[in-house]
Amino acid sequence: MLTGLKSHPLFWDSSATGRSRNLRTPDDLCTRRACHDLGLASDFDLRIPRSDSKMSATLLLEPAGRCCWDEPVHIAVRGLVPEQQVTLRASLRDEKGALFRAHARYCADTRGELDLERAPALGGSFAGLEPMGLLWALEPEKPFWRFLKRDVQIPFVVELEVLDGHDPDPGPLLCQARHERDFLPPGVRREPVRSGRVRATLFLPPGPGPFPGIIDIFGIGGGLLEYRASLLAGHGFATLALAYYNFEDLPGNLDIIPLEYFEEALCCMLQHPQVKGPGIGLLGISLGADICLAMASFLKNVSATVSINGSGTSGNRGINYKQISIPPLYYDPRRIKVAFSGLMDIVDIRNDLVGGYENPSMIPIEKAQGPILFIVGQDDHNWRSELYAQTVSERLQAHGKEKPQIICYPGTGHHIEPPYFPLCPASFHALVNKYVMWGGEPRAHSKAQFIHAPHAAAWSLSSIPSNGSRLAPEQPVTLRASLRDENGALFRDHARYRADARGELDLERAPALGGSFTGLEPMRLLWALEPEKPLGRLVKRDVRTPVPVELEVLDGHDPDPGRLLCQARHERHFLQPGVQRELVRAGRVRAALFLPPGKGPSPGIIDLFGSSGGLCEYKASLLARHGFAVLALAYFRFEDLSKHLNDIHLEYFEEAVDFMLQHPKVKALSIGLLGFSKGGDLCLSMASFLKGITATVVINGCVAKTIAPLHYRDMIIPKLVSDTGKIKITKSGFFNLMDSWSNPLEECNHQSLIPLEKAQGPFLFIVGMDDQGWKSEFYAQIASERLQAHGKERPQIIYYPGTGHFINPPYLPPSRISVHAVLGKAIVYGGEPKAHAKAQDNSLQATAFIFGCHVMPTKSDFLPQPSSSITLVLRRTGTCLLQPNAMYWAVSRVVTDQSRE
């Protein structure tokens, strides 16, 4: 690996000045491992100094130790002895107090670190590389106890412990944490439904709606189970968790299935103002799946059906609808087998399907209008789900219908639940009144749950079309996206595509053939948006309102695409559900504070923008979603602040730091700083002179004072001189300011340099190598040399080729040329769209990672401090900025996968 790095074109000497680059040996630079640790692509130039400093005892939780049950959690342990043996334990109690536990043995690496995404478990409840194994491998202390969630309004609390050594006798407790797993995603609304005979709970996603609707039905046992519906609502679906017996005033037993009750529930959904018509999707497991198949066969306005281990028959009860009756299939208890453990195996208990798909107990699924997806566990011991799915397929084809989609999961039992649910291999069966086997092998079953949940959600969404149309095989289409900003300015783009042989189009697999861009770019319809009015820049001022994106699919290719085939409206939120926004008017400070979901306190950050002034909140609001308390700070051109940037008094920013450190929702001791452009040199000044600063991230900033001198107490740092005579004007009449700034290394400009060596915390410089605003790369190199000359560590520097000045959050369109708010001139800022967009995606990850490592208290809030230096890291992976989890284009009805953002 090291030999290969010598020829890598992006690993340059960070001490070189100007635009020249001299290769140095890889030992003086970071390796690709550092790129991996930061979650960055290794084709970016990343310079991180080697350090032998010891890790402080810090517990990191992102976001603040709480997330939804179906979201992954990254678990790592830092500060261990190299190759130290440890045991990790997880436990939780359900709502009835039943205890579930899991444990695994691990070995730290040579750096004394343990990352469950890279380190395999050596034994325990599971073995191998299983980052989420401590959850899905949980087992009940009481035999045959099923893991269920009844009250979705209360999270499950997972206790995590790290112990020295391996079992059977692990040593002392090294560290521990509590991690809350929510079933009611932030912003999701829960509405009890008592309409006519219908007894249910409706879960509505965040936002104004309307939303695609789903009815969710469970199996034998009755009651009202809400956990799957509540989680689905977090993915953008209005989901009705429907009870049908053994709940409130519903019948206590289920002798027959009256389809009119379910028809009433369907009408209730279609009439709800927050539910999008004209069709509703159905999702059911076991008996609930068979009810869904019957609804799809007899009722109108069912657009798609997902059956999880259903049978396609009337089962042990008849199904009635008006004058139609489907007789029960019944079962023979003499076919029950008794396992060695005493558990009942009922897989063969049902009567045979005499006549195959023509058996009178089969549901007439050929009458269904919408598509059907069968999720099948091949080790299902409740009944033979795979055989039944194949029989339904034969029936559909015999009636001239399309073969349904069937996904079979090896080693998977009957109870296929949301991701990370522990397997239930056996439990009490309400019908048999005995403990029965459900089947399933833990690892295979867990994998099926992880895969099927997003698959079924994506498939259901793509199967609820707005007009019922579908594409022809290899049909050419044009996709268009447009939005209007808060001032009404229009941004739009388009791309040409071709459907595959099945008449389907998936932007994660199909390249654009032309238009605003070409190639495989799943999200480029967002970041390639261009202003209709030249020189416009997409800026979000009011983060409380989303940005609606209009998406259209048209027949044919431009310049004259044909008729509109389908369309959708997609809202992009800047204020994540659960994030609190507080206006700050404390003393002289004018700002907005964004607090992440949860009780807090949370690590604090101050966010400063550039020389356009005003109050820019969008970066702060998005960072709060990652678990930080972020103060978006204005410093001129806002309310009663100065209208012009003539003098800068650091006491104002010191007041903002004090405000953050004293806020009850902000973790004390220290905060981080994030500055862009002019805000970058202000952050460097704050880090150099003020106390309580632990880490500073500078995006395309300068190491000298620009625009205005800095005053702090009796000290003045003069501004860096600029020469307007060196401003270049392009052929198009645009201003290029890059060469107008004087060299701060020239003797006459030395006094304008910021004394970075006085700062206590580390620095991260994010640099666009095509920044035309000023020489950001040169300034970062000056910072590195100055720090080293004073005996300090080199700063971390990430260089992004082809990236301009405005490095914004992911998917915001690059601003290569725009009118400066203060200067009133069109300024060239640089950047190549594709490279710039990639940099925006990576730079946010790097920023969150650096702050996650350094902007924390030195003592854990959750545990007594051990003598050794231990860090248990819990952080989310695959973060998202909107609902549903990722903007996912799928035209037609089948989507084979949906994954992160």
Side-chain angles (χ1 to χ4, degrees), residues 716-731:
I716 299 177
I717 298 180
K719 69 177 182 180
L720 181 66
V721 176
S722 60
D723 186 353
T724 56
K726 293 183 179 180
I727 295 177
K728 296 178 181 178
I729 302 178
T730 67
K731 293 180 180 179

Side-chain angles (χ1 to χ4, degrees), residues 454-455 458 479 497-498 500 502 504-512 517 519-525 572 811 880 884-891 894-901:
H455 184 112
L479 272 64
Y497 290 91
R498 188 176 298 277
D500 63 17
R502 296 176 297 175
E504 299 167 8
L505 175 61
D506 181 347
L507 267 61
E508 288 195 343
R509 294 194 293 269
F517 55 91
L520 190 63
E521 296 288 348
M523 290 296 292
R524 197 159 179 176
L525 279 171
R572 306 286 290 182
Y811 313 130
C880 318
N885 273 359
M887 191 184 90
Y888 190 79
W889 272 93
V891 182
V894 178
V895 180
T896 60
D897 187 28
Q898 177 175 345
S899 58
R900 154 80 174 103
E901 125 202 62

Side-chain angles (χ1 to χ4, degrees), residues 800-859:
Y800 292 102
T803 303
H805 190 67
F806 283 107
I807 301 180
N808 278 315
Y811 313 130
L812 275 174
S815 178
R816 291 173 285 176
I817 303 172
S818 65
V819 177
H820 195 283
V822 176
L823 300 178
K825 302 292 184 182
I827 307 298
V828 177
Y829 291 110
E832 183 279 318
K834 187 172 183 178
H836 194 101
K838 192 173 184 181
Q840 291 187 160
D841 189 20
N842 273 260
S843 63
L844 180 66
Q845 299 175 39
T847 300
F849 182 87
I850 290 297
F851 284 140
C853 288
H854 297 286
V855 188
M856 302 294 285
T858 58
K859 292 187 177 181

Side-chain angles (χ1 to χ4, degrees), residues 676-889:
F676 160 72
S677 191
K678 172 60 186 175
D681 76 60
L682 288 172
C683 286
L684 293 175
S685 301
M686 295 168 68
S688 301
F689 293 105
L690 306 183
K691 296 179 180 180
I693 308 300
T694 192
T696 304
V697 177
V698 176
I699 302 174
N700 283 335
C702 183
V703 291
K705 293 311 300 179
T706 58
I707 303 176
L710 178 75
H711 299 258
Y712 183 56
R713 297 177 182 174
D714 297 329
M715 178 213 64
I716 299 177
I717 298 180
K719 69 177 182 180
L720 181 66
V721 176
S722 60
D723 186 353
T724 56
K726 293 183 179 180
I727 295 177
K728 296 178 181 178
I729 302 178
T730 67
K731 293 180 180 179
S732 302
F734 305 138
F735 284 56
N736 188 316
L737 307 178
M738 187 167 64
D739 293 329
S740 66
W741 299 98
S742 300
N743 185 347
L745 293 180
E746 293 177 355
E747 188 174 353
C748 60
N749 296 319
H750 277 182
Q751 295 301 313
S752 65
L753 284 167
I754 300 166
L756 307 178
E757 64 278 3
K758 295 183 179 181
Q760 298 302 312
F763 293 102
L764 168 63
F765 287 86
I766 293 175
V767 173
M769 296 180 72
D770 191 38
D771 184 358
Q772 301 295 307
W774 52 31
K775 299 178 180 179
S776 300
E777 183 180 5
F778 177 46
Y779 297 149
Q781 292 167 350
I782 292 174
S784 181
E785 291 181 352
R786 184 179 181 108
L787 287 169
Q788 293 176 80
H790 286 83
K792 300 285 187 174
E793 288 187 349
R794 280 185 294 170
Q796 300 181 19
I797 307 176
I798 308 176
Y799 291 85
Y800 292 102
T803 303
H805 190 67
F806 283 107
I807 301 180
N808 278 315
Y811 313 130
L812 275 174
S815 178
R816 291 173 285 176
I817 303 172
S818 65
V819 177
H820 195 283
V822 176
L823 300 178
K825 302 292 184 182
I827 307 298
V828 177
Y829 291 110
E832 183 279 318
K834 187 172 183 178
H836 194 101
K838 192 173 184 181
Q840 291 187 160
D841 189 20
N842 273 260
S843 63
L844 180 66
Q845 299 175 39
T847 300
F849 182 87
I850 290 297
F851 284 140
C853 288
H854 297 286
V855 188
M856 302 294 285
T858 58
K859 292 187 177 181
S860 167
D861 294 335
F862 297 100
L863 64 148
Q865 297 302 297
S867 56
S868 57
S869 177
I870 306 295
T871 302
L872 175 64
V873 183
L874 306 180
R875 61 177 174 85
R876 270 180 55 186
T877 58
T879 56
C880 318
L881 302 179
L882 64 144
Q883 300 290 341
N885 273 359
M887 191 184 90
Y888 190 79
W889 272 93

Side-chain angles (χ1 to χ4, degrees), residues 205 210-214 232 235-238 276-277 279-282 303-306 371 373 453-466 551 567-570 882-895 898:
F211 309 99
I214 293 175
L232 273 171
H235 294 268
F237 298 93
K276 183 190 299 183
I280 299 296
L282 304 177
S303 58
T305 305
V306 177
L373 168 64
H455 184 112
W459 187 88
S460 298
L461 179 60
S462 65
S463 302
I464 307 177
S466 58
L551 301 163
Q567 60 186 350
R569 183 183 174 92
H570 183 68
L882 64 144
Q883 300 290 341
N885 273 359
M887 191 184 90
Y888 190 79
W889 272 93
V891 182
S892 183
R893 65 182 179 84
V894 178
V895 180
Q898 177 175 345

